[in-house]
Coordinates of all heavy atoms in Angstrom, one line a residue:
M1 N 58.6 -76.0 141.5 CA 58.7 -76.3 140.2 C 59.0 -75.1 139.5 O 58.4 -74.0 139.8 CB 57.4 -76.9 139.7 CG 57.3 -77.0 138.1 SD 55.7 -77.4 137.6 CE 56.1 -78.9 136.6
V2 N 60.0 -75.1 138.6 CA 60.3 -73.9 137.7 C 60.0 -74.3 136.3 O 60.2 -75.4 135.8 CB 61.8 -73.6 137.8 CG1 62.2 -72.4 137.0 CG2 62.1 -73.3 139.3
I3 N 59.4 -73.3 135.5 CA 59.1 -73.4 134.2 C 59.6 -72.2 133.4 O 59.3 -71.1 133.7 CB 57.7 -73.7 133.9 CG1 57.3 -74.1 132.4 CG2 56.8 -72.5 134.3 CD1 56.0 -74.7 132.2
D4 N 60.3 -72.4 132.3 CA 60.9 -71.5 131.4 C 59.7 -70.7 130.7 O 58.8 -71.4 130.2 CB 61.9 -72.1 130.4 CG 62.5 -71.0 129.7 OD1 63.7 -70.5 130.1 OD2 62.1 -70.8 128.6
F5 N 59.9 -69.4 130.6 CA 58.9 -68.7 129.8 C 58.6 -69.2 128.3 O 57.6 -69.2 127.8 CB 59.2 -67.2 129.7 CG 58.9 -66.3 130.9 CD1 60.0 -65.8 131.6 CD2 57.8 -66.4 131.4 CE1 59.8 -65.0 132.8 CE2 57.4 -65.7 132.7 CZ 58.5 -65.1 133.4
A6 N 59.7 -69.7 127.7 CA 59.6 -70.1 126.3 C 58.7 -71.4 126.4 O 58.0 -71.7 125.4 CB 61.0 -70.6 125.8
E7 N 58.9 -72.3 127.4 CA 57.9 -73.4 127.6 C 56.5 -73.1 127.8 O 55.6 -73.6 127.2 CB 58.4 -74.4 128.7 CG 57.6 -75.5 128.8 CD 57.9 -76.6 127.7 OE1 58.5 -76.4 126.8 OE2 57.1 -77.7 127.7
I8 N 56.2 -72.1 128.6 CA 54.9 -71.5 128.7 C 54.3 -71.0 127.3 O 53.1 -71.3 127.0 CB 54.9 -70.5 129.8 CG1 55.2 -71.0 131.1 CG2 53.5 -69.8 129.9 CD1 55.4 -69.9 132.3
K9 N 55.1 -70.3 126.8 CA 54.8 -69.7 125.4 C 54.4 -70.9 124.4 O 53.4 -70.8 123.6 CB 55.9 -68.8 124.8 CG 55.3 -68.2 123.5 CD 56.4 -67.4 123.0 CE 56.0 -66.7 121.7 NZ 57.1 -65.8 121.1
R10 N 55.2 -71.8 124.3 CA 55.0 -73.1 123.5 C 53.7 -73.8 123.8 O 52.9 -74.2 123.1 CB 56.1 -74.1 123.7 CG 56.0 -75.2 122.7 CD 57.0 -76.4 123.0 NE 56.7 -77.0 124.2 CZ 55.7 -77.8 124.7 NH1 54.8 -78.2 123.7 NH2 55.6 -78.3 125.8
I11 N 53.4 -74.0 125.2 CA 52.3 -74.7 125.7 C 51.0 -73.9 125.2 O 50.2 -74.4 124.7 CB 52.3 -74.9 127.1 CG1 53.4 -75.9 127.5 CG2 51.0 -75.4 127.7 CD1 53.8 -76.0 129.1
A12 N 51.1 -72.7 125.4 CA 50.0 -71.7 125.1 C 49.7 -71.7 123.6 O 48.5 -71.8 123.2 CB 50.1 -70.4 125.8
Q13 N 50.7 -71.7 122.9 CA 50.6 -71.6 121.4 C 50.0 -72.9 120.9 O 49.1 -72.8 120.1 CB 52.1 -71.3 120.7 CG 52.1 -71.2 119.3 CD 51.4 -69.9 118.9 OE1 51.7 -68.8 119.4 NE2 50.6 -69.8 117.8
E14 N 50.5 -74.0 121.3 CA 50.0 -75.3 120.8 C 48.7 -75.7 121.3 O 47.8 -76.3 120.5 CB 51.0 -76.4 121.1 CG 52.4 -76.3 120.4 CD 53.4 -77.4 121.0 OE1 53.0 -78.2 121.8 OE2 54.5 -77.3 120.5
N15 N 48.4 -75.3 122.6 CA 47.1 -75.9 123.1 C 46.0 -74.9 123.1 O 44.8 -75.3 123.3 CB 47.5 -76.3 124.5 CG 48.4 -77.4 124.6 OD1 48.0 -78.6 124.2 ND2 49.6 -77.2 125.0
V16 N 46.1 -73.6 122.8 CA 45.2 -72.6 122.8 C 45.2 -71.8 121.6 O 44.3 -71.7 120.8 CB 45.3 -71.6 124.1 CG1 44.2 -70.7 124.1 CG2 45.3 -72.5 125.4
I17 N 46.2 -71.1 121.3 CA 46.3 -70.1 120.3 C 46.1 -70.7 118.9 O 45.3 -70.3 118.1 CB 47.6 -69.2 120.2 CG1 47.6 -68.5 121.7 CG2 47.7 -68.4 119.1 CD1 49.0 -67.8 121.9
D18 N 46.8 -71.8 118.7 CA 46.7 -72.5 117.4 C 45.3 -73.1 117.1 O 44.9 -73.2 116.0 CB 47.7 -73.6 117.3 CG 49.3 -73.2 117.0 OD1 49.3 -71.9 116.9 OD2 50.1 -74.1 117.2
I19 N 44.6 -73.4 118.2 CA 43.3 -74.0 118.1 C 42.2 -72.9 117.8 O 41.3 -73.1 117.1 CB 42.9 -74.8 119.3 CG1 43.8 -76.0 119.5 CG2 41.4 -75.2 119.4 CD1 43.7 -76.8 120.6
L20 N 42.4 -71.7 118.5 CA 41.5 -70.6 118.5 C 41.7 -69.5 117.4 O 40.8 -68.9 116.8 CB 41.3 -70.0 119.8 CG 40.9 -70.9 121.1 CD1 40.7 -70.1 122.3 CD2 39.5 -71.6 120.6
H21 N 42.9 -69.3 117.0 CA 43.3 -68.2 116.1 C 42.6 -68.2 114.8 O 42.7 -69.3 114.1 CB 44.9 -68.1 116.0 CG 45.3 -66.8 115.2 ND1 45.1 -65.6 115.7 CD2 45.9 -66.8 114.0 CE1 45.6 -64.8 114.9 NE2 46.0 -65.4 113.8
E22 N 41.9 -67.1 114.5 CA 41.2 -67.0 113.3 C 40.2 -68.2 113.0 O 40.0 -68.4 111.9 CB 42.2 -66.8 112.1 CG 43.0 -65.6 112.2 CD 43.9 -65.4 111.0 OE1 43.7 -65.9 109.9 OE2 44.8 -64.4 111.1
K23 N 39.5 -68.7 114.0 CA 38.6 -69.7 113.8 C 37.3 -69.1 114.1 O 37.1 -68.1 114.9 CB 38.8 -70.8 114.8 CG 40.2 -71.6 114.6 CD 40.3 -72.2 113.3 CE 41.5 -73.2 113.2 NZ 42.8 -72.6 113.4
N24 N 36.1 -69.7 113.7 CA 34.8 -69.3 114.0 C 34.5 -70.0 115.4 O 34.4 -71.2 115.4 CB 33.8 -69.9 113.0 CG 32.4 -69.6 113.3 OD1 32.1 -69.2 114.3 ND2 31.6 -69.7 112.2
L25 N 34.5 -69.1 116.4 CA 34.3 -69.7 117.8 C 33.0 -70.3 118.0 O 32.8 -71.3 118.8 CB 34.6 -68.7 118.8 CG 35.9 -68.1 118.8 CD1 36.2 -67.0 119.9 CD2 37.0 -69.1 119.0
N26 N 32.0 -70.1 117.2 CA 30.7 -70.7 117.2 C 30.8 -72.2 116.8 O 29.9 -73.0 117.2 CB 29.7 -70.0 116.4 CG 29.3 -68.8 116.9 OD1 28.9 -68.5 118.1 ND2 29.4 -67.7 116.1
Q27 N 31.8 -72.5 116.1 CA 32.1 -74.0 115.7 C 32.8 -74.8 116.7 O 32.8 -75.9 116.6 CB 32.8 -74.1 114.4 CG 31.9 -73.5 113.2 CD 32.6 -73.6 111.9 OE1 33.8 -73.7 111.9 NE2 31.8 -73.4 110.8
I28 N 33.5 -74.1 117.7 CA 34.1 -74.7 118.8 C 33.4 -74.7 120.2 O 33.5 -75.7 120.8 CB 35.6 -74.0 119.0 CG1 36.3 -74.0 117.7 CG2 36.3 -74.4 120.1 CD1 37.7 -73.3 117.7
F29 N 32.7 -73.7 120.3 CA 32.0 -73.5 121.6 C 30.5 -73.4 121.3 O 30.1 -72.8 120.4 CB 32.3 -72.3 122.4 CG 33.9 -72.2 122.8 CD1 34.8 -71.6 121.9 CD2 34.3 -72.9 123.8 CE1 36.1 -71.5 122.2 CE2 35.7 -72.9 124.2 CZ 36.5 -72.3 123.4
T30 N 29.6 -74.1 122.3 CA 28.2 -73.8 122.1 C 27.8 -72.4 122.3 O 27.0 -71.8 121.5 CB 27.4 -74.7 123.1 OG1 27.9 -76.1 123.0 CG2 26.1 -74.6 123.0
Q31 N 28.4 -71.8 123.3 CA 28.2 -70.4 123.5 C 29.6 -69.7 123.8 O 30.1 -69.8 124.9 CB 27.4 -70.1 124.8 CG 25.9 -70.5 124.7 CD 25.1 -70.2 126.0 OE1 25.6 -70.5 127.0 NE2 24.1 -69.4 125.7
P32 N 30.1 -69.0 122.8 CA 31.5 -68.7 122.8 C 31.6 -67.2 123.6 O 32.1 -66.2 123.1 CB 31.9 -68.4 121.4 CG 30.6 -68.0 120.6 CD 29.5 -68.9 121.4
T33 N 31.1 -67.2 124.7 CA 31.3 -66.0 125.6 C 32.8 -66.0 126.1 O 33.3 -67.0 126.2 CB 30.3 -66.0 126.8 OG1 30.6 -67.2 127.7 CG2 28.8 -66.1 126.3
A34 N 33.1 -64.9 126.6 CA 34.6 -64.8 127.1 C 34.6 -65.6 128.4 O 35.6 -66.3 128.7 CB 34.9 -63.3 127.7
E35 N 33.5 -65.7 129.3 CA 33.4 -66.5 130.4 C 33.7 -68.1 130.0 O 34.4 -68.7 130.8 CB 32.2 -66.3 131.2 CG 32.0 -65.0 131.8 CD 31.6 -63.9 130.8 OE1 31.3 -64.2 129.7 OE2 31.6 -62.7 131.2
N36 N 33.1 -68.6 129.1 CA 33.1 -69.9 128.6 C 34.4 -70.2 128.0 O 35.0 -71.2 128.3 CB 32.1 -70.3 127.6 CG 30.7 -70.3 128.3 OD1 30.5 -70.6 129.5 ND2 29.6 -70.2 127.6
I37 N 35.1 -69.3 127.3 CA 36.4 -69.5 126.6 C 37.5 -69.6 127.6 O 38.3 -70.4 127.6 CB 36.4 -68.3 125.6 CG1 35.6 -68.6 124.4 CG2 38.0 -68.5 125.1 CD1 35.5 -67.3 123.5
I38 N 37.3 -68.7 128.8 CA 38.4 -68.6 129.7 C 38.4 -70.0 130.6 O 39.4 -70.4 130.9 CB 38.3 -67.3 130.6 CG1 39.6 -67.2 131.5 CG2 37.2 -67.4 131.5 CD1 40.3 -66.0 131.1
R39 N 37.2 -70.4 130.8 CA 37.1 -71.8 131.5 C 37.7 -72.8 130.6 O 38.4 -73.7 131.2 CB 35.7 -72.1 131.9 CG 35.1 -71.3 133.1 CD 33.7 -71.7 133.3 NE 33.2 -70.8 134.4 CZ 32.2 -70.0 134.3 NH1 31.7 -69.7 133.1 NH2 31.8 -69.2 135.3
W40 N 37.5 -72.8 129.3 CA 38.2 -73.8 128.4 C 39.7 -73.7 128.5 O 40.4 -74.7 128.6 CB 37.5 -73.6 127.1 CG 38.1 -74.5 126.1 CD1 37.7 -75.8 125.9 CD2 39.2 -74.3 125.2 NE1 38.5 -76.4 124.7 CE2 39.4 -75.4 124.4 CE3 40.0 -73.2 125.0 CZ2 40.4 -75.5 123.5 CZ3 41.0 -73.1 124.0 CH2 41.2 -74.3 123.2
I41 N 40.1 -72.4 128.5 CA 41.6 -72.2 128.4 C 42.2 -72.8 129.7 O 43.2 -73.4 129.7 CB 41.9 -70.7 128.2 CG1 41.6 -70.3 126.8 CG2 43.3 -70.4 128.6 CD1 41.6 -68.7 126.6
W42 N 41.6 -72.4 130.8 CA 42.1 -73.0 132.2 C 42.1 -74.5 132.1 O 43.1 -75.1 132.4 CB 41.2 -72.5 133.2 CG 41.5 -73.1 134.7 CD1 41.2 -74.3 135.2 CD2 42.5 -72.5 135.4 NE1 41.8 -74.4 136.4 CE2 42.5 -73.3 136.6 CE3 43.2 -71.2 135.4 CZ2 43.3 -72.9 137.7 CZ3 43.9 -70.9 136.6 CH2 44.1 -71.8 137.6
K43 N 41.1 -75.1 131.7 CA 41.0 -76.7 131.7 C 42.0 -77.2 130.7 O 42.7 -78.2 131.1 CB 39.6 -77.0 131.1 CG 39.3 -78.5 131.1 CD 37.8 -78.7 130.6 CE 37.6 -80.2 130.7 NZ 36.2 -80.5 130.2
I44 N 42.4 -76.5 129.7 CA 43.4 -77.0 128.8 C 44.9 -76.8 129.4 O 45.7 -77.6 129.4 CB 43.3 -76.4 127.4 CG1 42.1 -76.6 126.8 CG2 44.6 -76.6 126.5 CD1 41.9 -78.0 126.3
L45 N 45.1 -75.5 130.0 CA 46.4 -75.3 130.4 C 46.8 -75.8 131.8 O 48.0 -76.0 132.0 CB 46.6 -73.7 130.5 CG 46.6 -72.9 129.1 CD1 46.7 -71.5 129.3 CD2 47.6 -73.5 128.2
K46 N 45.9 -75.9 132.6 CA 46.2 -76.3 134.1 C 46.9 -77.6 134.2 O 47.9 -77.7 134.9 CB 44.9 -76.4 135.0 CG 45.1 -76.7 136.5 CD 46.0 -75.6 137.1 CE 46.2 -75.9 138.6 NZ 47.0 -75.0 139.2
P47 N 46.6 -78.7 133.4 CA 47.4 -79.9 133.5 C 48.8 -79.7 132.9 O 49.7 -80.4 133.3 CB 46.5 -81.0 132.5 CG 45.2 -80.3 132.4 CD 45.3 -78.8 132.6
E48 N 49.0 -78.8 132.0 CA 50.3 -78.6 131.4 C 51.1 -77.7 132.2 O 52.3 -77.8 132.1 CB 50.1 -77.9 130.0 CG 49.4 -78.8 129.1 CD 50.2 -80.0 128.6 OE1 51.4 -79.9 128.6 OE2 49.5 -81.1 128.3
I49 N 50.5 -76.8 133.0 CA 51.3 -75.9 133.8 C 50.6 -75.9 135.3 O 49.8 -75.2 135.7 CB 51.1 -74.4 133.4 CG1 51.5 -74.3 131.8 CG2 51.9 -73.3 134.2 CD1 51.1 -73.0 131.1
P50 N 51.1 -76.9 136.0 CA 50.4 -77.2 137.4 C 50.5 -75.9 138.4 O 49.5 -75.9 139.1 CB 51.3 -78.3 138.0 CG 51.8 -79.0 136.8 CD 52.1 -77.9 135.7
L51 N 51.4 -75.1 138.3 CA 51.4 -73.9 139.0 C 50.7 -72.8 138.6 O 50.7 -71.7 139.1 CB 52.8 -73.5 139.5 CG 53.7 -74.6 140.2 CD1 55.1 -74.0 140.4 CD2 53.1 -74.8 141.5
L52 N 49.9 -73.0 137.6 CA 49.1 -72.0 137.0 C 48.2 -71.2 138.2 O 47.5 -72.1 138.8 CB 48.2 -72.5 135.9 CG 47.4 -71.5 135.1 CD1 48.2 -70.4 134.3 CD2 46.5 -72.2 134.2
H53 N 48.1 -70.0 138.2 CA 47.4 -69.4 139.2 C 46.2 -68.6 138.6 O 45.1 -68.6 139.2 CB 48.4 -68.2 140.0 CG 47.7 -67.4 140.9 ND1 47.1 -67.8 142.0 CD2 47.3 -66.0 140.7 CE1 46.4 -66.7 142.7 NE2 46.7 -65.7 141.8
K54 N 46.3 -68.0 137.5 CA 45.2 -67.3 137.0 C 45.4 -67.0 135.5 O 46.5 -66.9 135.0 CB 45.2 -65.7 137.6 CG 44.0 -64.9 137.2 CD 43.8 -63.7 138.0 CE 44.9 -62.7 138.0 NZ 44.6 -61.5 138.6
V55 N 44.3 -67.1 134.8 CA 44.3 -66.7 133.4 C 43.4 -65.5 133.1 O 42.3 -65.5 133.7 CB 43.8 -67.9 132.4 CG1 43.6 -67.6 131.1 CG2 44.6 -69.2 132.8
K56 N 43.9 -64.6 132.2 CA 43.1 -63.4 132.0 C 42.9 -63.4 130.4 O 43.9 -63.4 129.7 CB 43.8 -62.2 132.4 CG 43.1 -60.9 132.4 CD 43.9 -59.7 132.9 CE 44.0 -59.8 134.4 NZ 44.6 -58.5 135.0
L57 N 41.6 -63.2 130.0 CA 41.4 -63.2 128.6 C 40.9 -61.7 128.2 O 39.9 -61.3 128.9 CB 40.3 -64.1 128.2 CG 39.7 -64.2 126.8 CD1 40.8 -64.6 125.8 CD2 38.5 -65.0 126.7
Y58 N 41.5 -61.2 127.1 CA 41.2 -59.8 126.8 C 40.4 -59.8 125.5 O 40.8 -60.5 124.6 CB 42.5 -59.0 126.6 CG 43.3 -58.6 127.8 CD1 44.3 -59.6 128.3 CD2 43.1 -57.4 128.3 CE1 44.9 -59.2 129.4 CE2 43.8 -57.1 129.5 CZ 44.7 -57.9 130.1 OH 45.4 -57.6 131.1
E59 N 39.3 -59.2 125.5 CA 38.5 -58.9 124.3 C 39.0 -57.6 123.6 O 39.0 -57.6 122.4 CB 37.1 -58.9 124.6 CG 36.5 -60.2 125.1 CD 34.9 -60.1 125.3 OE1 34.3 -60.1 124.2 OE2 34.5 -60.0 126.4
T60 N 39.4 -56.6 124.4 CA 40.0 -55.4 124.0 C 41.0 -55.0 125.0 O 41.1 -55.7 126.0 CB 39.0 -54.3 123.8 OG1 38.5 -54.0 125.2 CG2 37.7 -54.7 123.0
P61 N 41.7 -53.9 124.7 CA 42.8 -53.6 125.8 C 42.2 -53.3 127.2 O 42.9 -53.3 128.2 CB 43.5 -52.4 125.2 CG 43.4 -52.5 123.7 CD 42.0 -53.2 123.5
S62 N 41.0 -52.9 127.2 CA 40.4 -52.5 128.4 C 39.1 -53.5 128.9 O 38.6 -53.2 130.0 CB 39.8 -51.0 128.5 OG 38.8 -50.9 127.5
S63 N 38.9 -54.4 128.2 CA 37.8 -55.4 128.5 C 38.3 -56.7 128.6 O 38.9 -57.3 127.7 CB 36.8 -55.3 127.4 OG 35.8 -56.3 127.5
F64 N 38.2 -57.3 129.9 CA 38.8 -58.6 130.0 C 38.1 -59.4 131.1 O 37.2 -58.9 131.8 CB 40.2 -58.6 130.6 CG 40.4 -57.9 131.8 CD1 40.3 -58.5 133.1 CD2 40.8 -56.5 131.9 CE1 40.5 -58.0 134.3 CE2 40.9 -55.9 133.1 CZ 40.8 -56.6 134.3
V65 N 38.3 -60.7 131.2 CA 37.8 -61.6 132.3 C 38.9 -62.3 132.7 O 39.9 -62.8 132.1 CB 36.6 -62.5 131.7 CG1 37.1 -63.3 130.6 CG2 36.0 -63.3 132.7
S66 N 38.9 -62.6 134.2 CA 40.0 -63.5 134.7 C 39.4 -64.6 135.4 O 38.3 -64.4 135.9 CB 40.9 -62.7 135.7 OG 40.5 -61.5 136.1
Y67 N 40.2 -65.6 135.5 CA 39.7 -66.9 136.0 C 40.8 -67.6 136.7 O 41.9 -67.6 136.5 CB 39.2 -67.9 134.9 CG 38.3 -69.0 135.3 CD1 37.3 -69.0 136.1 CD2 38.9 -70.2 135.0 CE1 36.5 -70.1 136.6 CE2 38.3 -71.4 135.3 CZ 37.1 -71.4 136.1 OH 36.3 -72.5 136.5
K68 N 40.5 -68.2 138.0 CA 41.5 -68.8 138.9 C 41.2 -70.3 139.0 O 41.5 -70.9 140.0 CB 41.6 -68.2 140.2 CG 42.3 -66.9 140.2 CD 42.4 -66.3 141.6 CE 43.1 -65.0 141.7 NZ 43.3 -64.5 143.0
G69 N 40.2 -70.9 138.2 CA 39.9 -72.3 138.3 C 38.8 -72.6 139.2 O 38.5 -73.7 139.6
E70 N 38.1 -71.6 139.7 CA 37.1 -71.8 140.5 C 35.6 -71.8 139.8 O 35.7 -71.4 138.5 CB 37.0 -70.5 141.5 CG 38.2 -70.4 142.3 CD 38.4 -69.1 142.8 OE1 37.7 -68.1 142.6 OE2 39.4 -69.0 143.6
E71 N 34.6 -72.1 140.3 CA 33.4 -72.0 139.6 C 33.0 -70.7 139.1 O 32.5 -70.5 138.0 CB 32.2 -72.5 140.5 CG 32.1 -74.0 140.5 CD 31.8 -74.6 139.2 OE1 30.9 -74.2 138.6 OE2 32.6 -75.6 138.9
E72 N 33.2 -69.7 139.9 CA 32.8 -68.2 139.5 C 34.0 -67.6 138.9 O 35.1 -67.8 139.2 CB 32.4 -67.5 140.6 CG 31.1 -68.0 141.4 CD 29.9 -68.1 140.5 OE1 29.7 -67.1 139.8 OE2 29.2 -69.1 140.4
I73 N 33.7 -66.7 137.9 CA 34.7 -65.8 137.3 C 35.2 -64.8 138.4 O 34.4 -64.2 139.1 CB 34.1 -65.1 136.2 CG1 33.7 -66.0 135.0 CG2 35.0 -64.1 135.5 CD1 34.7 -66.8 134.4
V74 N 36.5 -64.7 138.4 CA 37.2 -64.0 139.3 C 36.9 -62.4 139.2 O 36.6 -61.6 140.1 CB 38.7 -64.2 139.5 CG1 39.4 -63.2 140.4 CG2 39.0 -65.7 139.9
E75 N 37.1 -62.0 137.9 CA 37.0 -60.5 137.7 C 36.6 -60.3 136.2 O 37.0 -60.9 135.3 CB 38.4 -60.1 137.9 CG 38.7 -58.6 137.7 CD 40.3 -58.2 137.8 OE1 41.1 -59.1 137.8 OE2 40.5 -57.1 138.1
T76 N 35.9 -59.3 136.0 CA 35.6 -58.9 134.6 C 35.8 -57.3 134.7 O 35.7 -56.7 135.8 CB 34.1 -59.1 134.2 OG1 33.2 -58.5 135.1 CG2 33.9 -60.7 134.2
H77 N 36.2 -56.7 133.6 CA 36.4 -55.4 133.4 C 36.0 -54.8 132.1 O 36.6 -55.5 131.0 CB 37.8 -55.1 133.7 CG 38.2 -53.6 133.7 ND1 37.7 -52.8 134.7 CD2 38.9 -52.8 133.0 CE1 38.1 -51.5 134.3 NE2 38.8 -51.5 133.3
C78 N 35.2 -53.9 131.9 CA 34.8 -53.4 130.7 C 34.3 -52.0 130.8 O 33.1 -51.6 130.7 CB 33.6 -54.3 129.9 SG 33.2 -53.7 128.4
P79 N 35.3 -51.0 131.0 CA 34.8 -49.6 131.3 C 34.0 -49.0 130.1 O 33.1 -48.4 130.3 CB 36.1 -48.9 131.5 CG 37.2 -49.8 130.9 CD 36.7 -51.1 130.9
S80 N 34.5 -49.3 129.0 CA 33.9 -48.6 127.7 C 33.7 -49.7 126.7 O 33.1 -49.3 125.6 CB 34.5 -47.4 127.3 OG 35.8 -47.8 126.8
C81 N 34.3 -50.8 126.9 CA 34.2 -51.8 125.8 C 34.7 -51.4 124.5 O 34.1 -51.5 123.3 CB 33.0 -52.5 125.6 SG 32.6 -53.5 127.1
S82 N 35.8 -50.6 124.5 CA 36.4 -49.9 123.3 C 37.0 -51.0 122.4 O 37.2 -52.0 122.7 CB 37.4 -48.9 123.7 OG 38.4 -49.5 124.4
E83 N 37.2 -50.6 121.1 CA 37.7 -51.4 120.1 C 39.3 -51.8 120.6 O 39.9 -51.0 121.0 CB 37.7 -50.8 118.7 CG 36.3 -50.5 118.3 CD 35.6 -51.9 117.9 OE1 36.2 -52.8 117.4 OE2 34.5 -52.0 118.1
G84 N 39.6 -52.9 120.0 CA 41.1 -53.2 120.3 C 41.4 -54.7 120.1 O 40.4 -55.4 119.8
A85 N 42.6 -55.0 120.2 CA 43.1 -56.4 119.9 C 42.7 -57.3 121.2 O 42.8 -56.8 122.3 CB 44.5 -56.4 119.7
G86 N 42.5 -58.5 121.1 CA 42.2 -59.4 122.1 C 43.6 -60.1 122.5 O 44.6 -60.0 121.8
G87 N 43.5 -61.0 123.5 CA 44.7 -61.9 123.9 C 44.4 -62.5 125.2 O 43.4 -62.3 125.8
F88 N 45.4 -63.2 125.8 CA 45.3 -63.6 127.2 C 46.7 -63.6 127.8 O 47.7 -63.7 127.2 CB 44.6 -64.9 127.2 CG 45.4 -66.2 126.7 CD1 46.2 -66.9 127.5 CD2 45.4 -66.5 125.3 CE1 46.9 -67.9 127.1 CE2 46.1 -67.6 124.8 CZ 46.9 -68.3 125.8
D89 N 46.5 -63.6 129.2 CA 47.7 -63.5 130.0 C 47.7 -64.8 130.9 O 46.5 -65.3 131.2 CB 47.7 -62.4 131.0 CG 48.0 -61.2 130.4 OD1 48.7 -61.1 129.2 OD2 47.8 -60.0 130.9
I90 N 48.8 -65.4 131.3 CA 49.0 -66.5 132.2 C 49.7 -66.0 133.4 O 50.8 -65.4 133.3 CB 49.6 -67.7 131.5 CG1 49.0 -68.0 130.1 CG2 49.9 -68.8 132.4 CD1 49.7 -69.0 129.3
E91 N 49.2 -66.3 134.6 CA 49.9 -65.9 135.9 C 50.0 -67.3 136.5 O 49.3 -68.1 136.6 CB 49.0 -65.0 136.7 CG 48.9 -63.6 135.9 CD 48.1 -62.7 136.8 OE1 48.0 -62.8 138.0 OE2 47.8 -61.6 136.2

């Protein structure tokens, strides 16, 4: 299966970014931790992107969590938890 980057961007925008952007995450999630949010993102994107391998959620440029659809979080990284913009990657 091949999927165009524009299609991936559209799927992420409509199903994740538009729902979460500038929202009070406490009104969407019982516990809005990075770990809970990334599991939610995976659950939303995986049916739309069947070959999805990994999702990475950034709280800052150096603080992130990655998830591969398993029970446990694959990777977390927070060397100094410095200030910065958040976002997520799809692999």
Side-chain angles (χ1 to χ4, degrees):
M1 171 189 239
V2 176
I3 187 166
D4 187 86
F5 284 123
E7 182 66 6
I8 293 171
K9 182 177 180 180
R10 183 196 62 76
I11 291 167
Q13 185 71 43
E14 291 176 4
N15 295 287
V16 176
I17 297 168
D18 288 349
I19 294 169
L20 300 181
H21 185 65
E22 295 188 12
K23 300 293 190 302
N24 180 345
L25 297 181
N26 289 310
Q27 294 178 348
I28 298 171
F29 301 96
T30 305
Q31 290 186 306
T33 63
E35 292 82 5
N36 289 336
I37 295 169
I38 195 125
R39 285 185 181 105
W40 177 85
I41 291 171
W42 178 272
K43 187 176 175 181
I44 297 298
L45 293 181
K46 184 63 174 171
E48 299 290 327
I49 308 169
L51 294 178
L52 184 65
H53 171 70
K54 180 169 63 174
V55 178
K56 192 180 281 188
L57 175 66
Y58 289 86
E59 292 186 78
T60 70
S62 61
S63 175
F64 65 85
V65 60
S66 20
Y67 188 62
K68 290 184 176 182
E70 303 157 356
E71 277 298 311
E72 297 299 317
I73 297 298
V74 174
E75 176 182 23
T76 59
H77 183 68
C78 182
S80 63
C81 294
S82 59
E83 296 292 321
F88 72 93
D89 289 339
I90 300 171
E91 294 181 18

